[in-house]
Amino acid sequence: MESLMRMLLLLLSLLVTPLAAEYRIQTVAQGLHHPWGLVELPSGELLVGERRGRLLRLNTDGSRTLIAGLPKMVSAGQGGLLDLALHPNFAENRWLYFSYSQPGKGGAGTAVARAKLTDTHLSSLEVIFVQQPKTTGSAHFGSRMVFDAQGYLFITTGERYHARDKAQQLDNHLGKILRLHDEGTVPTDNPFINTPHAKPEIWSYGHRNIQGAAIHPPSGELWVHEHGPRGGDEVNIIKAGANYGWPLVTHGREYSGGSIGQGTHLKGMADPIWVWVPSIAPSGMLFYRGELFPHWQGSLLVGALAGQKLVRLTLNGQKIVNEQALLGELNVRIRTLVAAKDGGIYLLTDAANGQLLKLLPATDQ
Amino acid sequence: MESLMRMLLLLLSLLVTPLAAEYRIQTVAQGLHHPWGLVELPSGELLVGERRGRLLRLNTDGSRTLIAGLPKMVSAGQGGLLDLALHPNFAENRWLYFSYSQPGKGGAGTAVARAKLTDTHLSSLEVIFVQQPKTTGSAHFGSRMVFDAQGYLFITTGERYHARDKAQQLDNHLGKILRLHDEGTVPTDNPFINTPHAKPEIWSYGHRNIQGAAIHPPSGELWVHEHGPRGGDEVNIIKAGANYGWPLVTHGREYSGGSIGQGTHLKGMADPIWVWVPSIAPSGMLFYRGELFPHWQGSLLVGALAGQKLVRLTLNGQKIVNEQALLGELNVRIRTLVAAKDGGIYLLTDAANGQLLKLLPATDQ
């Protein structure tokens, strides 16, 4: 009976979806070199980070200001300047958070720093998290940052590709989600705080490479997606202390074609709530709550790099009940999604000549 | 003056090399499924291991006998039944050694066992080496086995691809060459026997994936080659306790195209004596000492999988002074080389319908 109701609701939602394009696309900026992180400042100005290690403010008059003061980072492969986030009280304290690939003994690893943002530079720089250990290679640095309603900072990492089995071990930060206080200290109620040899920052483990994270508005839970190897991209609802299975459990396959691990399910490991096979290479994630797209309210939006589209997932409570592909006509790799204060949706495209686009309702509606 | 002499010698060697084919190729057996290990028994019969986990005796009358009694192994990707070796006193004690991919907690790893060979089965099975830790994935198991003149057994491993940084750490067996007594105990003069937390079996480290090893007859030294990632296959002369650099030092590049590590040389790490860029994917190795190919005496022969050829390297002492490509006309992947007692050269080709070939001098010479 319940599933019948759900089907009827689904059919209804298809009927009320207009067939004409629901949106128009405004090009806010171009000539951005592999932009990765994006935040909207209280002033309406935008901060964009280019992966090669440049932080730009896009001013409302169309000019750009290069913000100085970033620490040394490794800009190679998938590494460099990655995500940006504002402190929940940014308007008062001006703390900007950024994740990046930090060089050091043994190679490189993800790190997170925060600094006070002034008009032209970063000051009072504090490195608040350093992924241990560093490894060789330039893949799978993660990383997204998100604050929840209580002010905890979640950091998603990758398993650095050439060290994937570490995702199953608690003595390191690879393939993990971490939970910190805003200034970088460890909350005393983290799940492994009393586990011998475990890194106390760990909130969940068994992840491959997470480049999308957001707080689910009704529940306050952390939702993330992660890249699968060849197939097997996942959406997961994160529970404290849970094991998400990589690389022992996956819907993906080795790039060489062989099987990985022990199938798609193991007792004691959390299953994904959604899987993409083949992979879309998800990056960027947003629960839409704006007024401009009423049909999309409550939807989960996910960007796709290899998939070159914007995915809209319709939710029914904590279940995903429908998937819609949007923007395929643009042929762009989508790295990041950010909700604009006016209800529009900002998108960063991943390219040497990357763009900042804004999705707005079609004018003829 | 010395280099002038070397050039003259080289020119001379080219002049005396006949232009006509020096060899003919005898097909000894076919229909072998990815054959990997090969030994010639004192009787002249041949033992062949198929990677999928079958051990066959090729009898002199052309019939085949399946030898029963192999332990459980993981036959997937590059893993399965790998190298075969006879104890130096095999004629008396019948010990057959074999390396294979052993399943277990955490995935799989290279192991070595020995067993008494009877007419139809293996008995008295002893697992004498287990690579620690096991990891996920089905690539880079190594492995070759070679006994030196003193009776020590050398085992070459791989770094299991997804755990490559472990090749630089001494607390594990990944990306190492190991040295054992014939029954599996650790010689007391191994280089790291007194190093805290180091695995005592280690003879050398910093290797990627070694599928060719042989004792250099004049010096008694262990020579090996190893697979580079994308370019950077190496020939190395092994010194006890030395670090061969992977993945910090390599002539190769990431499959993604990016750079790896810190260049091609680092202080304190041993340099290769020969490098292939692009890669040939070397497998199998033999110092030729037979009578049938007088021009080849003292040459180092190396098989190539991706390169689909037999490489003959001319030595001058411990230097490689010339490289000749042979058998390119066959278009076969060469897995293994074994010296036949009559001076011919056995070759295994890597294919679902693999062959055992024998190289003999051309009849018209």
Side-chain angles (χ1 to χ4, degrees), chain A residues 224-240:
Chain A
V224 304
H225 57 60
E226 68 178 76
H227 291 271
R230 179 176 163 177
D233 301 337
E234 301 180 352
V235 176
N236 287 301
I237 301 175
I238 301 303
K239 307 283 184 197

Side-chain angles (χ1 to χ4, degrees), chain B residues 221-274:
Chain B
E221 288 173 331
L222 178 64
W223 288 39
V224 305
H225 57 60
E226 69 180 74
H227 291 272
R230 179 174 163 179
D233 301 338
E234 301 181 352
V235 176
N236 288 301
I237 301 175
I238 301 304
K239 307 285 184 195
N243 179 356
Y244 289 81
W246 177 255
L248 297 178
V249 178
T250 175
H251 289 256
R253 298 185 70 76
E254 300 282 14
Y255 291 115
S256 61
S259 62
I260 303 173
Q262 303 165 38
T264 58
H265 176 81
L266 268 186
K267 203 179 160 187
M269 298 190 189
D271 290 328
I273 65 161
W274 198 252

